[in-house]
Amino acid sequence: EVQLVESGGGLVQAGGSLRLSCAASGFAFNDYGIGWFRQAPGKEREGIACISATDGSTYYAPSGKGRFTISADNAKNTVYLQVNNVDPEDTAVYYCAATLWATHLYLFTPKGYDYWGQGTQVTVSS
């Protein structure tokens, strides 16, 4: 079955860094773009970054510029999100999602994605 499994979340101190992983299986990884989203309590789900497993191109939403870096290891069917200098405002559930690259329209709109993971909780302490 199609699976997207996030990992790497947890408790981190403000100013620190973390790397989230998204392990994909059950579909043709190289045909998709993989995006990272996050949702904090009381807020809408927002896009952070997306990478095309087809051609390696990367894209960042305004909220994802500066402290975030997205990367992929196609051999492992895994996408990463590096977050530096975290602060308590980064506390949220982080999700990865897959969109068929050949037909994608919107990279930072949840409705544009075909598959979703269950999310991983990131909590930043002050």
Side-chain angles (χ1 to χ4, degrees):
E1 72 276 28
V2 171
Q3 281 195 303
L4 292 165
V5 181
E6 302 94 339
S7 62
L11 181 64
V12 60
Q13 293 184 1
S17 63
L18 55 81
R19 188 178 72 162
L20 305 179
S21 298
C22 173
S25 61
F27 64 96
F29 182 80
N30 289 359
D31 291 338
Y32 283 77
I34 308 296
W36 282 98
F37 294 76
R38 69 181 182 183
Q39 188 164 26
K43 294 186 177 182
E44 296 183 356
R45 189 169 299 187
E46 66 172 348
I48 302 169
C50 179
I51 186 166
S52 170
T54 298
D55 61 26
S57 56
T58 59
Y59 306 87
Y60 293 88
S63 63
K65 295 180 179 179
R67 299 185 295 110
F68 298 85
T69 303
I70 191 169
S71 61
D73 186 339
N74 286 51
K76 297 181 179 179
N77 286 4
T78 299
V79 172
Y80 305 95
L81 183 71
Q82 178 75 30
V83 190
N84 295 323
N85 193 26
V86 300
D87 64 65
E89 298 303 314
D90 293 320
T91 296
V93 178
Y94 285 71
Y95 300 89
C96 65
T99 180
L100 188 65
W101 194 248
T103 57
H104 80 273
L105 292 176
Y106 307 107
L107 296 181
F108 303 114
T109 301
K111 292 289 187 180
Y113 285 77
D114 303 294
Y115 309 128
W116 287 86
Q118 292 299 306
T120 184
Q121 176 71 49
V122 172
T123 302
V124 181
S125 64
S126 59

